Structure formats: structure tokens, C-alpha cells
Amino acid sequence: MESHNVNNSLNIDMEKDQEKAFDYSKRAQWLRAAVLGANDGLVTTASLMMGVGAIKPDVKTMVLTGFAGLVAGACSMAIGEFVSVYSQYDIEVAQMKRDNGGVIDKEKLPSPIKAATASALAFSIGAIVPLLAAAFVKTYNVRIGVIVSAVTLALVMFGWLGAVLGKAPVVKSSARVLIGGWLAMAVTYGLTKLVGSHGMS
């Protein structure tokens, strides 16, 4: 009898540990997705501002371009995430109905609205970094330097966070994110400068 009680206790403890591990895993996935969304917002908006700034160097044009990129990107991310998670929601509801005889546990279902909101918010947080960096600097060359510096710092931070949450090598992950961000800005700047200077003359 005592052996049976001990086994039950061990089983309960194992189930609790599994639940905790599962909850932690879900949180880590959400946080990693948020970091990736913020990184997308950062690189996309900075690249747009750098590209347009190569042709129209005034601060108003660059900031308006960045703001348009923020709004468009956040809406796109939110809609994409909503559609994706809603598809997952429908699949899980159908699976629950088959497994549980029509009973649906709503607490275990994903929330499309929460996912869409989180995705848009994460993108906006990243996108606001180059916007704030450029908004108060009048001189073009200084503004570009400030944007690149702010974006570099944010890329390193996002790379570090992504590595920690994904349990990946920190230095390699941060370097990949940083080089990728620099490359995106450089390519956008160079191609826009080329097209603007020669292709539309």
C-alpha cells in the first residue's frame, strides 16, 4: 500500500514537472517570436529610411517613410499572424472534438487576437528605434550615423535575446543578426541610390 502511494506521488510530481516544462517552453516560444518580430520591425524600417534617405535626405521624408513602414509592417504582421493562428485554432478545435467527444477546452486553444496584437506590437517596438534616432537630427550625415548606431545596438541586443531564448551560441547568433541587418540596410541604400540616380533620370 505504501509502495502504491509512493508511486502515485512520484507520478503526480512528474506530471507537475512536465506541465511546468511545457509552460516554460510555450513562454519561451512566445518571447522568441516577439524578439524576431521586433528585429523585423527594426531592420525593415531602418532599411526603408536609409533607402529613401539616399535620394531624399531631408528629415521629414525619412521620418514619414519610417512611419509608413511601421504602420504597414505592423498591420501586415498582425493580419498574417491572425490568419495563421486562426488556422491552427480550427485544427485544434477539430482535434479536441474527435478526442474528447465534442468537449472543447478553451484554455488550451491559441488566441488569434492575442497573437496578432503581440506580433504588431513587437514589430512596432523594433520599428520605433530608427524613427526616434532620426527624428531630432537635422544634419543628414549625422542622422545616418545616429540611425546606424542605434540600429546596431538594438540588433546586438535582439540577437543576444534570441540566442538566450533559443539556447543558441550567443556570439554567433548576435553576429548573424548584426551582419544581416547591416546587409539589408546597405543593399537597400545602394540599390535605391542607383535607381534614383540613374534609373529615373
Side-chain angles (χ1 to χ4, degrees):
M1 187 71 176
E2 290 181 3
S3 175
H4 180 70
N5 289 335
V6 169
N7 287 334
N8 283 340
S9 177
L10 287 172
N11 288 335
I12 291 170
D13 289 340
M14 287 176 65
E15 287 176 3
K16 286 181 178 179
D17 289 341
Q18 287 175 351
E19 286 178 3
K20 286 180 181 178
F22 179 71
D23 287 342
Y24 175 78
S25 175
K26 284 183 72 176
R27 282 199 299 270
Q29 287 176 2
W30 271 93
L31 287 169
R32 195 161 185 272
V35 170
L36 291 172
N39 188 70
D40 283 347
L42 175 72
V43 174
T44 300
T45 305
S47 297
L48 276 170
M49 292 173 70
M50 296 281 286
V52 171
I55 304 301
K56 288 279 190 179
D58 60 288
V59 64
K60 183 178 180 180
T61 301
M62 286 183 70
V63 170
L64 283 174
T65 299
F67 180 75
L70 185 158
V71 174
C75 290
S76 177
M77 293 283 285
I79 292 166
E81 194 71 13
F82 182 85
V83 171
S84 175
V85 175
Y86 218 111
S87 297
Q88 181 186 348
Y89 177 93
D90 290 338
I91 291 168
E92 291 190 19
V93 166
Q95 185 68 40
M96 282 182 181
K97 286 180 178 179
R98 285 194 298 269
D99 295 344
N100 303 327
V103 178
I104 298 172
D105 186 355
K106 291 186 177 180
E107 291 183 1
K108 292 184 178 180
L109 291 171
S111 171
I113 293 175
K114 285 183 180 179
T117 303
S119 185
L121 185 61
F123 187 95
S124 300
I125 288 170
I128 207 164
V129 172
L131 274 172
L132 289 177
F136 305 104
V137 182
K138 298 291 183 183
T139 308
Y140 173 70
N141 290 334
V142 176
R143 191 186 319 129
I144 291 294
V146 171
I147 290 173
V148 172
S149 299
V151 169
T152 297
L153 185 62
L155 284 169
V156 171
M157 186 181 71
F158 290 153
W160 175 80
L161 274 173
V164 170
L165 294 171
K167 296 182 179 179
V170 172
V171 175
K172 286 183 178 179
S173 179
S174 298
R176 281 196 299 266
V177 171
L178 181 60
I179 293 169
W182 280 349
L183 189 60
M185 289 189 292
V187 169
T188 306
Y189 179 90
L191 287 178
T192 308
K193 183 87 169 174
L194 180 66
V195 172
S197 301
H198 304 287
M200 300 179 68
S201 58

